[in-house]
Amino acid sequence: MAAPTISCGRGWFRARSFSFGGVAELRCRKSLALTSTPCRSASRTAAKQNRDVPWTAVVGLEIHAQICSNSKLFSGSQVQFAAPPNSLVSFFDASLPGTLPVLNRRCVEAAVTTGLALNCTINKKSLFDRKHYFYADLPAGYQITQQRLPIAVNGSLSYSLCTGKNQNELVNRTVRVKQIQLEQDSGKSLHDDARHQTLVDLNRAGVGLMEVVMEPDMCCGEEAAAAVRELQLILQALGSSQANMAEGQLRVDANVSVHHPGQPYGVRTEVKNLNSARFLAKAIDYEIQRQINELENGGTILNETRTFDYKLGCTIAMRDKEGQQDYRFMPEPNLPPLILYDAKSLPTHTSHLQVVNIDPLREKLPDLPSVKRAKLVERYGIQPQHSFTLLNEDGLVEFFETVMTATQMNAKKVIGWILKDFLGYLKQRNLVVDESPISPLLLAELLNLLESGTISSSAAKQVLEIMWNREGKSPTLIAKEKKLELIRDLNELEHICLGVMDGHQKEVAEINKGNKKVLNKLIGEVQRATRGRSDPASVKQILEKQLLLQPRNKPLS
Ligand code: ADP
Ligand code: MG
């Protein structure tokens, strides 16, 4: 039976004049007092003495990934992005008295596959807890999470960074995964300052989340962004989350601290709700620098929650954490322990428990991004860093592989066209692969024209330029219409070469003196004279032959 839903007149639940004004003011005063302690001048002297000692930053991430499931974690109501406000809310999601949670098997399976893919130990028994806090979009006054015994622990995530001048050196890194826990999402509040009211949408209330908690093993924004990107690719490969950051399906909280090498870790701040890889990196790097500046100027770092203002490019204090921490965790009385088992540990006496078998999930694990990359490198002989770029752009692997099935050109050359010309163009125009006006088959047709010697590579670039603006138009037709096909008549080509030699006697003399490099300039001139319609190899041959025929250091005509 479909879950009953409730909605109010305008679609939004209203919490009138919902404001934390007074509390915010109190907190403000508290932090002011903290930053102007009498010790400040003493610590400033110490800071000055320490100024030459380098700083090290430490970054640990807490990532909420929305589980890809048709229904919520504990209720049957649907999960759907951008549905009308409060149209997907069951009695349980709205915390009506007497409603009970029913665990969604799909969500458990998604968390287990994610745990397996992140090399975690899957806890055969895990528990649910209530985490209490008051907010208008949390009608129960608590969130069900897994505080005492999460579903998966002690894993790791390997990722790589592209470094070097041309971003073509790969550095491998690993971050430890502390735990993965299942929990409910909250609803959404919309603060309408003009009307002094807060509107509440409970569509998201109760949607299943996996919280992935990482150990503080990273040291800068770039590393954190690369780790999150790898996690995103893994979740998408598993299908456990769509992990679309723009739609809020992957939300990252970054914990940041700085310390002097060899000393204990510093006090951390937490930058909340970063939902783009670029802002994540920027926010972390800003926060590291801010903390260093603060400490070098004799200040202290508060254990506080901050937000990233992407317009100003800086982090701003939201509330300090100490006052926030007592969530009054308690066991969720309405959910029995979650029991998982495999062939080695068949469950006994489980009739009253929630049970899931791990074995079929382990067997069905798909290829993870690292395996996909290794296969691309092995199959096509491309550079490992190219396999990273292919996987990092949504849809690019499929695009590349379709081109490969339809072209005679070798993969190393194809990858150059795809990463430099094709991707470069898309990036310039802010397009994703799916939005490309050029299909893989048309690109393959173009590369075949080049490979078969019908057009030169500079003509191919001209044809490609036209293809961007003439969606669906065949490159063969374009090459014909624009007369860009290679000049096959060698007599005609010879005539053009002689003309170019005639017009560049200084260069001819240079070559005759033994400076062979100048020959490339002449080849380029022939290319220009023919608008890219000459085959450089044939031109080279003709020029060399003609140069030999010319008497040394004499004008050509
Ligand atoms: P809490 O229980 O207060 O949430 P956790 O131990 O669960 O603390 O850590 C939360 C996150 O903070 C983790 O991602 C962890 O890696 C990170 N973290 C812990 N200590 C530091 C630190 N000194 N600097 C930066 N990040 C840290
Ligand atoms: Mg935490």
Side-chain angles (χ1 to χ4, degrees):
M1 201 177 76
T5 60
I6 48 175
S7 71
C8 72
R10 296 197 2 244
W12 293 87
F13 291 148
R14 186 182 309 192
R16 279 203 64 82
S17 304
F18 185 74
S19 147
F20 282 130
V23 181
E25 209 176 281
L26 268 179
R27 289 201 177 116
C28 219
R29 269 191 225 122
K30 187 175 166 199
S31 34
L32 260 180
L34 276 173
T35 51
S36 55
T37 52
C39 312
R40 198 173 166 119
S41 63
S43 55
R44 192 171 282 159
T45 325
K48 273 201 184 121
Q49 283 163 0
N50 260 343
R51 203 157 268 188
D52 294 335
V53 186
W55 292 98
T56 303
V58 169
V59 179
L61 303 176
E62 292 168 283
I63 302 169
H64 287 97
Q66 183 182 312
I67 295 171
C68 184
S69 163
N70 292 331
S71 55
K72 296 187 181 178
L73 183 55
F74 298 119
S75 79
S77 42
Q78 252 194 344
V79 176
Q80 200 188 309
F81 182 68
N86 295 309
S87 59
L88 310 171
V89 187
S90 69
F91 290 149
F92 175 80
D93 306 327
S95 311
L96 264 61
T99 52
L100 290 171
V102 180
L103 183 58
N104 179 346
R105 177 179 291 270
R106 156 74 197 149
C107 292
V108 175
E109 290 176 351
V112 171
T113 37
T114 305
L116 292 172
L118 294 178
N119 312 303
C120 289
T121 303
I122 307 294
N123 278 332
K124 298 283 167 52
K125 175 181 174 184
S126 63
L127 303 170
F128 291 98
D129 306 287
R130 291 184 177 182
K131 175 182 178 177
H132 295 84
Y133 61 92
F134 169 73
Y135 214 79
D137 56 28
L138 189 79
Y142 60 84
Q143 172 196 32
I144 303 179
T145 178
Q146 295 197 296
Q147 199 247 351
R148 287 167 299 162
L149 246 187
I151 191 161
V153 292
N154 298 337
S156 64
L157 168 72
S158 297
Y159 63 98
S160 301
L161 296 169
C162 289
T163 59
K165 211 165 69 184
N166 299 320
Q167 296 281 294
N168 58 7
E169 276 168 44
L170 281 182
V171 184
N172 298 322
R173 300 252 191 276
T174 300
V175 48
R176 288 166 300 151
V177 173
K178 185 177 171 188
Q179 66 187 56
I180 301 175
Q181 67 209 39
L182 279 166
E183 60 188 38
Q184 301 170 292
D185 208 343
S186 60
K188 274 188 192 169
S189 299
L190 187 90
H191 305 289
D192 181 348
D193 288 339
R195 290 193 232 172
H196 302 291
Q197 61 184 11
T198 291
L199 302 171
V200 176
D201 176 10
L202 290 182
N203 280 351
R204 208 182 62 178
V207 168
L209 298 177
M210 296 174 277
E211 180 176 349
V212 181
V213 182
M214 294 183 181
E215 297 287 3
D217 294 341
M218 288 158 285
C219 69
C220 63
E222 193 192 1
E223 283 193 3
V228 168
R229 178 63 182 140
E230 188 67 15
L231 177 68
Q232 187 179 36
L233 289 172
I234 290 173
L235 297 175
Q236 287 167 347
L238 297 171
S240 61
S241 169
Q242 288 174 0
N244 180 335
M245 291 187 96
E247 290 184 6
Q249 291 153 350
L250 198 68
R251 286 167 260 155
V252 183
D253 302 338
N255 295 271
V256 180
S257 69
V258 298
H259 64 280
H260 291 300
Q263 299 203 344
Y265 286 176
V267 174
R268 69 174 197 259
T269 59
E270 185 175 10
V271 188
K272 280 270 183 203
N273 265 328
L274 295 156
N275 56 7
S276 106
R278 202 159 58 92
F279 291 146
L280 168 70
K282 279 191 166 181
I284 291 173
D285 290 340
Y286 175 88
E287 186 56 19
I288 292 172
Q289 201 50 54
R290 185 192 71 81
Q291 292 187 10
I292 293 174
N293 292 346
E294 185 70 28
L295 292 169
E296 295 221 323
N297 288 317
T300 39
I301 302 302
L302 301 179
N303 176 213
E304 66 189 358
T305 304
R306 300 178 72 87
T307 181
F308 183 64
D309 184 321
Y310 65 95
K311 280 192 195 130
L312 298 176
C314 65
T315 65
I316 297 167
M318 284 164 76
R319 52 177 189 248
D320 74 66
K321 227 182 158 182
E322 281 130 325
Q324 265 269 312
Q325 258 166 3
D326 192 358
Y327 292 117
R328 305 250 158 180
F329 282 104
M330 62 171 262
E332 164 58 53
N334 294 325
L335 285 165
L338 168 59
I339 302 295
L340 306 171
Y341 68 96
D342 54 20
K344 282 183 253 145
S345 63
L346 288 174
T348 50
H349 313 300
T350 55
S351 57
H352 63 297
L353 302 176
Q354 323 176 73
V355 289
V356 171
N357 186 353
I358 304 173
D359 287 332
L361 301 173
R362 202 191 303 272
E363 278 152 29
K364 275 192 288 186
L365 277 184
D367 276 354
L368 295 181
S370 54
V371 176
K372 283 190 199 160
R373 289 189 198 104
K375 283 190 176 169
L376 284 169
V377 169
E378 193 188 304
R379 183 155 175 212
Y380 298 107
I382 59 175
Q383 302 281 328
Q385 67 268 27
H386 291 157
S387 70
F388 272 85
T389 318
L390 281 180
L391 247 83
N392 267 343
E393 299 299 325
D394 285 335
L396 195 58
V397 172
E398 294 73 16
F399 191 98
F400 167 71
E401 293 204 296
T402 314
V403 173
M404 285 308 299
T405 58
T407 181
Q408 289 95 44
M409 189 181 263
N410 78 41
K412 281 186 188 160
K413 280 207 226 161
V414 172
I415 203 84
W417 279 87
I418 294 216
L419 298 190
K420 201 159 153 269
D421 301 276
F422 177 73
L423 196 58
Y425 183 95
L426 291 183
K427 292 230 151 128
Q428 231 175 42
R429 280 155 187 80
N430 229 350
L431 296 174
V432 294
V433 175
D434 258 4
E435 296 164 339
S436 161
I438 297 179
S439 70
L441 291 180
L442 285 181
L443 185 64
E445 186 180 325
L446 174 71
L447 299 184
N448 286 342
L449 290 177
L450 177 58
E451 198 58 14
S452 63
T454 313
I455 56 176
S456 70
S457 112
S458 72
K461 298 218 161 141
Q462 293 177 51
V463 174
L464 188 62
E465 198 58 47
I466 298 169
M467 287 165 78
W468 290 117
N469 303 318
R470 304 277 300 275
E471 192 164 343
K473 178 117 185 179
S474 141
T476 315
L477 279 181
I478 296 174
K480 267 213 174 76
E481 273 174 23
K482 299 280 171 193
K483 299 204 170 18
L484 285 169
E485 287 155 313
L486 280 187
I487 299 170
R488 292 194 179 276
D489 182 344
L490 288 183
N491 288 334
E492 188 187 343
L493 206 53
E494 193 168 288
H495 187 73
I496 297 167
C497 287
L498 282 171
V500 167
M501 284 168 71
D502 225 6
H504 294 81
Q505 295 195 4
K506 217 174 85 201
E507 284 80 1
V508 170
E510 276 283 302
I511 299 168
N512 281 337
K513 272 194 231 154
N515 189 353
K516 291 273 180 318
K517 277 191 196 151
V518 182
L519 188 61
N520 288 333
K521 180 164 183 217
L522 287 191
I523 297 172
E525 290 299 334
V526 176
Q527 281 289 2
R528 189 175 311 164
T530 57
R531 292 179 20 253
R533 294 171 60 225
S534 51
D535 166 36
S538 314
V539 171
K540 187 165 181 250
Q541 256 181 12
I542 294 173
L543 286 174
E544 278 171 348
K545 188 179 101 191
Q546 290 302 327
L547 282 161
L548 279 179
L549 289 178
Q550 298 303 318
R552 283 192 171 252
N553 299 331
K554 281 242 176 108
L556 290 161
S557 54

